[in-house]
Amino acid sequence: DGSQVLEDLGLSADEERLDLKIVSQKLNDEIGQALEIVSYASVQAAIATLYDEVVIVRNTLDNAIKERDKLRADIQEAQKRAEVLAMEMDEQNYQCDKLKQEELQDLRQTWIERLHSVEEKSKS
């Protein structure tokens, strides 16, 4: 029973939230005491082996969490850069379209003026 375990560790089962570091430390202390109490070498070796495995798995988990957090930060940074790049591309496209429209308007005006000039010459 979880409540009994917490009580045996000297913690209150009535607490809404428990600090996992404190619970983990208390459990580690219990394992250390168990190794001292147990007189059979094979049992001590089994407990020590299981404890070492827990430490290895915990370290692996901690490393995986750090990697996950780093990847999240990298993804967020990449998304920000992609947004900035998209905005820059939109601005460049807008400026290019604006320039082309101005050039087209100038070209139209030039052809209109030439057409008027030819019409004027043909009338005279």
Side-chain angles (χ1 to χ4, degrees), residues 11-61:
L11 300 171
S12 173
D14 297 332
E15 291 183 33
E16 190 173 311
R17 297 185 72 150
L18 292 171
D19 186 348
L20 290 179
K21 288 185 179 186
I22 293 173
V23 174
S24 180
Q25 182 59 44
K26 296 236 181 219
L27 288 172
N28 288 337
D29 293 344
E30 288 291 321
I31 290 170
Q33 290 175 5
L35 284 173
E36 293 172 9
I37 294 173
V38 175
S39 60
Y40 298 106
S42 61
V43 175
Q44 287 179 341
I47 292 172
T49 301
L50 289 173
Y51 179 76
D52 287 343
E53 184 66 25
V54 167
V55 169
I56 290 168
V57 170
R58 183 181 299 144
N59 288 337
T60 302
L61 176 62

Side-chain angles (χ1 to χ4, degrees), residues 7 41-42 46-47 50 57 66 76 85 87 89 96 106 110:
E7 189 175 307
S42 61
I47 292 172
L50 289 173
V57 170
K66 288 176 185 176
Q76 287 177 345
L85 182 59
M87 288 172 37
M89 289 177 61
C96 186
D106 289 345
T110 301

Side-chain angles (χ1 to χ4, degrees), residues 109-124:
Q109 187 62 36
T110 301
W111 280 104
I112 288 172
E113 290 171 2
R114 285 184 181 176
L115 181 60
H116 284 297
S117 174
V118 169
E119 286 176 347
E120 292 285 324
K121 286 182 182 178
S122 70
K123 288 182 181 178
S124 25

Side-chain angles (χ1 to χ4, degrees), residues 74-91:
D74 290 349
I75 288 171
Q76 287 177 345
E77 182 63 30
Q79 286 174 336
K80 287 178 185 176
R81 286 189 305 225
E83 289 173 7
V84 168
L85 182 59
M87 288 172 37
E88 287 175 358
M89 289 177 61
D90 287 346
E91 180 62 26

